[in-house]
Amino acid sequence: MRHETQVLICPDCQRAHDLDLDACVSCGSTALICRLGEVECRSCGAVRAARSCESLVTAPGSPDLSAEVEAALNRVLGRS
């Protein structure tokens, strides 16, 4: 992740030490993933809320993605 945005980096570029990637506050690892408004460290498992989700702009009248995902999971898992 870089500046709270998940990015894909080729293996050769991953070896570079000047990528300015976000790091885990617990262990310092840059192996982070962002999903459903949370940032998780793949190294130590620490989870925190993603700050960038607060600043996402959606078009007026467009449904909230997290609400859509929650509704889909509820349908699939048979929750009311």
Side-chain angles (χ1 to χ4, degrees), residues 17-48:
H17 297 287
D18 59 347
L19 295 176
D20 189 29
L21 298 176
D22 297 345
C24 175
V25 294
S26 297
C27 71
S29 172
T30 58
L32 303 175
I33 56 172
C34 184
R35 63 176 173 248
L36 298 176
E38 294 182 332
V39 175
E40 179 181 348
C41 176
R42 300 286 304 240
S43 296
C44 73
V47 177
R48 66 170 173 79

